[in-house]
Amino acid sequence: MALVIAQALMAQARPDSFSDLVDKVSPAVVNITTSTVVARGAGPSPIVPEGSPFEDFFREFRDRNGDGDRPRRTSALGSGFVISEDGFVVTNNHVIESADEIIIEFFSGKELTAEVIGTDPKTDIALLKVETDAPLPFVTFGDSDTARVGDWVMAMGNPLGQGFSASAGIVSARNRALSGTYDDYIQTDAAINRGNSGGPLFNMDAQVIGVNTAILSPTGGSIGIGFSMASNVVTRVVDQLKEYGETRRGWLGVRIQDVTDDVAEAIGLEEVRGALVTDVPEGPAADGGMKAGDVILSFDGTQVQDTRELVRQVGNTEVGKSVRVMVFREGKTQSLKITLGRREEAEGAVPAAQPGADNGGETSSQEILGLTISPLNEELRGQLELESDATGLVVTDVDNLSEAYEKGVRAGDLITEAGQQEVTSMSDLEDRIAEAREAGRKSILLLVRRAGEPRFVALPVDAETSE
């Protein structure tokens, strides 16, 4: 009897047909055709040695079939959907990027020319606008955070240029990250192919919970692993593009890395979570008193689990807002008040340089923690192309069997801090190691810079300090 009830419930959960949903949303889904003028000579050409008997043949063939190097027009296909009756259309940035002309084709067959209101390459979202006298059918966004793995979804778009097409599947996974800073993808097995890019992913309430953006495939065709940018990311971007024509993300002004088990142990952090600050260049965080070595535990009242979560929280916060940031520093928590800047204005900013210091006159190398280390001198400064005010200890060699090597430390790296204190001499480093041992630490935290990029590495201190 229980089996019969379970089967009945499963049958009830499975839709008999998606036809009503398709009928409801199709008028708001659009095909997008773009055209771009490109230089004829931009593509690859056969390489023929000068004086070869084939030289004249290839020149004549190219001129006959390609009209020499004259520009030519190329076209591309994609999908999108209308989000307002006055003609705002959402699609992927890569669908319309560099396009000279954008044509929107509606389900009715009507075509309109669109203009670009704004784009956001970081989330691959673009907002378009068409002018129309009559109100357009449109669809609304749903709350992607309520989508559960196993929920039914339907993708619509223009796969392989075949025109309006629907495919159904389930939410296969949530919170997928591909390569971007603000990625929050819904994975689905609904068929998504080339041309589906920019099309909507619907839930069963006819709400858009994702924008179909990418597929994972060894063949280039759908194998049931598609990705849609979550609507809760898209709506924030669209609202800003509509209001400003560009994005305006909050900026904290720090470089960060995830907290690992050994890093947490090295600094005495009981819970392995948060974002470890590796550098604080000039900016909002520096003005608010944040320091390299701080672990950000909460931002604006919300706990921080890892770097990805912090980046999204900051980016979604209003520019100019003053927020409370809780950090872990030297065994205690501390609250900082920081007024956020704007990320778009800060991108490409150069981190503040470290203050200069004397190396104490040391010139000899020592082996410690599996590393061969030398004080920074003018010769090494020149070899590593370091600024004149750079300080620290230079790694000249790494034992291939050491934990330091396993954790990515390499010759040429510059150690600027140990135990969250600046080091400029071998005695500084030895003192920090001794302090870590006396405090019962199993590891010591080193701040390592490579080509100016900082990161923290925790190394065990249970070995001898020198050999």
Side-chain angles (χ1 to χ4, degrees):
M1 180 66 180
L3 178 61
V4 173
I5 295 175
Q7 290 176 337
L9 290 174
M10 289 177 62
Q12 185 177 2
R14 186 186 306 118
D16 294 329
S17 171
F18 289 85
S19 56
D20 289 341
L21 179 58
V22 172
D23 289 343
K24 184 175 183 179
V25 300
S26 289
V29 180
V30 299
N31 295 339
I32 297 178
T33 304
T34 66
S35 63
T36 308
V37 175
V38 297
R40 185 71 189 183
S45 299
I47 299 176
V48 182
E50 187 175 353
S52 166
F54 294 100
E55 186 177 11
D56 292 338
F57 169 78
F58 277 113
R59 182 185 297 112
E60 292 175 3
F61 178 82
R62 182 190 61 187
D63 293 345
R64 184 169 62 250
N65 291 278
D67 294 327
D69 290 329
R70 289 193 301 179
R72 61 189 176 88
R73 183 171 292 277
T74 64
S75 61
L77 301 173
S79 307
F81 53 99
V82 183
I83 61 169
S84 65
E85 65 178 13
D86 58 344
F88 282 101
V89 176
V90 172
T91 186
N92 280 146
N93 176 59
H94 76 259
V95 169
I96 56 88
E97 191 173 19
S98 302
D100 298 315
E101 185 180 43
I102 304 171
I103 303 297
I104 305 295
E105 180 191 1
F106 294 85
F107 189 69
S108 63
K110 182 179 180 180
E111 293 186 351
L112 294 174
T113 300
E115 65 169 324
V116 178
I117 299 300
T119 64
D120 179 33
K122 285 185 169 57
T123 56
D124 199 10
I125 295 298
L127 182 65
L128 313 178
K129 181 71 165 62
V130 296
E131 297 300 328
T132 176
D133 296 331
L136 295 176
F138 64 94
V139 289
T140 59
F141 286 105
D143 184 357
S144 56
D145 288 344
T146 63
R148 301 170 59 200
V149 174
D151 282 352
W152 283 102
V153 288
M154 183 181 73
M156 290 200 70
N158 182 22
L160 303 175
Q162 295 301 302
F164 295 89
S165 177
S167 58
I170 63 169
V171 174
S172 303
R174 290 283 318 280
N175 302 121
R176 291 296 200 204
L178 297 183
S179 60
T181 307
Y182 302 98
D183 285 4
D184 184 12
Y185 284 103
I186 296 173
Q187 181 185 326
T188 179
D189 63 351
I192 296 174
N193 289 283
R194 291 192 181 97
N196 273 115
S197 291
L201 185 73
F202 290 104
N203 60 19
M204 293 300 97
D205 295 323
Q207 297 172 327
V208 179
I209 60 168
V211 178
N212 302 323
T213 301
I215 61 174
L216 184 61
S217 171
T219 63
S222 174
I223 59 170
I225 307 178
F227 300 94
S228 298
M229 183 62 75
S231 60
N232 285 358
V233 174
V234 177
T235 51
R236 294 188 184 96
V237 172
V238 167
D239 288 345
Q240 291 186 348
L241 295 180
K242 186 181 293 187
E243 184 173 357
Y244 307 113
E246 59 187 359
T247 55
R248 298 189 177 184
R249 293 187 170 95
W251 179 59
L252 188 59
V254 292
R255 290 180 176 175
I256 52 178
Q257 69 182 60
D258 285 331
V259 175
T260 59
D261 291 337
D262 51 3
V263 166
E265 196 281 331
I267 63 177
L269 184 63
E270 294 182 359
E271 192 176 359
V272 184
R273 72 172 183 87
L276 175 60
V277 178
T278 63
D279 197 17
V280 188
E282 295 180 5
D287 295 340
M290 192 169 291
K291 299 179 180 180
D294 288 349
V295 177
I296 300 174
L297 299 177
S298 72
F299 175 85
D300 200 19
T302 302
Q303 281 198 352
V304 174
Q305 295 299 322
D306 53 27
T307 56
R308 178 174 171 237
E309 185 174 297
L310 176 62
V311 169
R312 289 181 54 198
Q313 288 177 12
V314 174
N316 291 334
T317 305
E318 180 184 352
V319 175
K321 181 179 181 180
S322 292
V323 298
R324 286 288 176 183
V325 181
M326 185 71 69
V327 301
F328 181 83
R329 178 189 297 173
E330 298 178 353
K332 301 177 182 179
T333 57
Q334 183 173 341
S335 178
L336 305 176
K337 187 177 182 180
I338 299 175
T339 301
L340 298 184
R342 183 184 172 196
R343 182 181 178 91
E344 290 82 359
E345 293 178 351
E347 300 215 323
V350 179
Q354 295 282 339
D358 187 358
N359 65 16
E362 298 177 322
T363 57
S364 61
S365 298
Q366 294 188 41
E367 295 181 8
I368 189 169
L369 305 178
L371 305 171
T372 302
I373 299 175
S374 294
L376 183 59
N377 54 37
E378 290 307 314
E379 181 181 356
L380 290 172
R381 192 188 305 275
Q383 291 176 2
L384 300 177
E385 299 181 349
L386 298 175
E387 297 292 336
S388 60
D389 54 0
T391 64
L393 302 172
V394 178
V395 178
T396 58
D397 195 14
V398 185
D399 183 350
N400 288 0
L401 301 180
S402 68
E403 189 162 338
Y405 187 88
E406 292 181 2
K407 293 187 175 179
V409 181
R410 295 293 184 267
D413 287 349
L414 183 68
I415 300 172
T416 59
E417 290 184 12
Q420 298 180 288
Q421 296 183 52
E422 183 178 323
V423 291
T424 60
S425 65
M426 288 302 305
S427 59
D428 285 345
L429 178 58
E430 290 174 337
D431 289 345
R432 300 294 87 74
I433 293 174
E435 291 169 2
R437 285 175 173 161
E438 290 173 5
R441 303 282 185 220
K442 297 179 181 179
S443 305
I444 186 169
L445 201 63
L446 304 181
L447 180 57
V448 179
R449 294 178 181 271
R450 181 181 301 166
E453 294 294 326
R455 69 186 182 99
F456 280 102
V457 178
L459 298 182
V461 294
D462 52 3
E464 292 296 324
T465 60
S466 62
E467 298 176 16

